Amino acid sequence: MNSLVVLAMLLAILMIGLGGKKGLRSFITLFINFALFIVLLFFMNIPEVNPVILTMIICIIISFINLFYINGTNTMTKTAFASTVFTTLLLSGLILYFANATFIQGFGKEETEELSMASLRIGIDFSKVAVAVIMMSTIGAITDASIAIASPMKEMHQLKPDIDRKNLFIFGLSIGKDIIGTSMNTLFFAFVGSYLALLILFSDLSYSWSEMINSKIFSGEVVTIACSAIGLIAVIPITAFCTSYVLTKKTPPSQQEN
């Protein structure tokens, strides 16, 4: 049996065994997200399609599926989704600026040997592709952070229905402070693990610190991690505010009677 099939089966057993129905939905969501990624690649090859706008739409669809399909439709997922979309739109301008300012589009000289036999005239704006890559890299961290804050805030409101908006907002910020450190380490070690071979190559080629930092591959990953971290930090107060506002919003008497 193929080792990938065995790993997929083991992952499915563990997710379903621990998470039950939510674990099954999470496992199915992996394949749905993969299918959306294939759709993104297919339409990105069409010159008339803007990769940035297409990626933004796919990111919103991914966050919608990850939040509502896995966790259901409730106040927690609605505020988390709204916070994710708002943060993604807010972050897109920052990503556009830094991607163009740092010139990380295209391929680095370390990749020229592998691409020497291929034609690079594919009719795609690589600057927009670089922005699309960063946006796809940030959506996961933003979605995870938003649901990680909205969920305990909802639980707190259920335990203390009389809690006011300010204290509930402060509670959400305190949760955000707790997850910042671990999430930052996750982003950092994801970079180190993915590009450990590249760092070893830099060492074997006797790259100086300035050459390594100014390498297109290295700087592109740094910009991706930095944008992901900024999105992670930005979504914390946004989610805390949206959730505290919705949970403490007074229901009109006419709606209460209905």
Side-chain angles (χ1 to χ4, degrees), residues 48-193:
E48 292 78 12
V49 176
N50 190 320
V52 177
I53 298 177
L54 176 63
T55 305
M56 188 176 298
I57 295 173
I58 294 295
C59 287
I60 294 175
I61 295 174
I62 289 174
S63 62
F64 181 87
I65 295 173
N66 290 345
L67 291 172
F68 291 103
Y69 178 67
I70 297 176
N71 300 287
T73 303
N74 49 56
T75 303
M76 173 187 66
T77 52
K78 289 179 181 178
T79 55
F81 177 71
S83 303
T84 300
V85 173
F86 182 78
T87 305
T88 302
L89 295 176
L90 190 66
L91 192 64
S92 60
L94 188 67
I95 294 174
L96 283 169
Y97 172 77
F98 279 104
N100 294 324
T102 53
F103 299 100
I104 59 174
Q105 67 273 9
F107 302 95
K109 62 181 181 180
E110 296 82 8
E111 302 168 302
T112 54
E113 184 177 352
E114 300 176 1
L115 298 170
S116 58
M117 301 299 295
S119 175
L120 299 180
R121 296 183 178 181
I122 58 177
I124 298 177
D125 189 347
F126 276 89
S127 60
K128 294 180 180 179
V129 173
V131 174
V133 170
I134 298 175
M135 292 181 65
M136 286 294 294
S137 302
T138 59
I139 189 63
I142 294 174
T143 305
D144 289 343
S146 63
I147 195 66
I149 295 171
S151 179
M153 288 182 68
K154 181 183 177 183
E155 296 293 332
M156 173 60 73
H157 184 261
Q158 290 177 345
L159 292 174
K160 296 183 178 180
D162 57 341
I163 187 173
D164 60 8
R165 184 174 300 171
K166 180 180 178 181
N167 288 326
L168 188 59
F169 175 73
I170 294 174
F171 175 73
L173 291 181
S174 65
I175 298 171
K177 293 177 183 178
D178 293 335
I179 68 174
I180 282 179
T182 54
S183 299
M184 291 297 180
N185 286 328
T186 301
L187 295 174
F188 172 75
F189 286 111
F191 163 71
V192 173

Side-chain angles (χ1 to χ4, degrees), residues 1-11:
M1 185 180 293
N2 190 293
S3 58
L4 294 179
V5 177
V6 174
L7 286 174
M9 292 175 60
L10 180 61
L11 177 62

